[in-house]
Amino acid sequence: MKTFTEQEVTIFLKENLKDWTFEKNTIFRDFKFKTFVEAFSFMTAIALEAEKMNHHPDWSNSYNKVNIVLTNHEAGGVTQPDLKLAEIIDLIHSRK
């Protein structure tokens, strides 16, 4: 699977995923919610979409915070499924 260069990812983020950051061959974003239930329900919605894609995030949750990191471990960098899942995550977040 093709990995994108740092320049390609940076341009894509700037144009499409402004709240995401590229670092160490990953893209990541931190989210904050009012309650644990809101944070966990956000994660549940993402989990359902990630499972459909068979592409799963590295993430953590602490009370009302969710931290998401996307990369393709086998490919060693950011791939098309990472960018697509990030777009889906932003869409889910915009609905909350």
Side-chain angles (χ1 to χ4, degrees):
M1 181 171 292
K2 177 193 181 303
T3 59
F4 293 107
T5 66
E6 181 175 353
Q7 182 180 13
E8 290 171 323
V9 174
T10 301
I11 290 168
F12 187 87
L13 296 182
K14 186 177 181 180
E15 293 176 357
N16 302 286
L17 298 166
K18 293 176 179 37
D19 295 320
W20 290 79
T21 302
F22 177 78
E23 185 177 287
K24 298 181 183 175
N25 292 322
T26 69
I27 58 173
F28 66 90
R29 182 171 174 193
D30 300 326
F31 297 86
K32 188 172 181 181
F33 299 89
K34 291 180 185 176
T35 67
F36 171 76
V37 171
E38 286 180 16
F40 201 82
S41 112
F42 174 64
M43 292 177 73
T44 301
I46 294 167
L48 295 171
E49 294 300 321
E51 188 64 20
K52 288 179 197 174
M53 294 176 66
N54 193 31
H55 190 66
H56 305 92
D58 291 330
W59 57 9
S60 64
N61 165 243
S62 178
Y63 182 61
N64 66 336
K65 296 178 186 119
V66 177
N67 310 96
I68 300 176
V69 178
L70 299 173
T71 191
N72 185 304
H73 297 287
E74 290 178 12
V78 177
T79 60
Q80 184 59 40
D82 298 304
L83 299 177
K84 179 66 179 164
L85 185 54
E87 289 177 322
I88 291 169
I89 290 167
D90 278 0
L91 182 62
I92 291 168
H93 184 255
S94 72
R95 296 178 184 160
K96 298 286 178 199

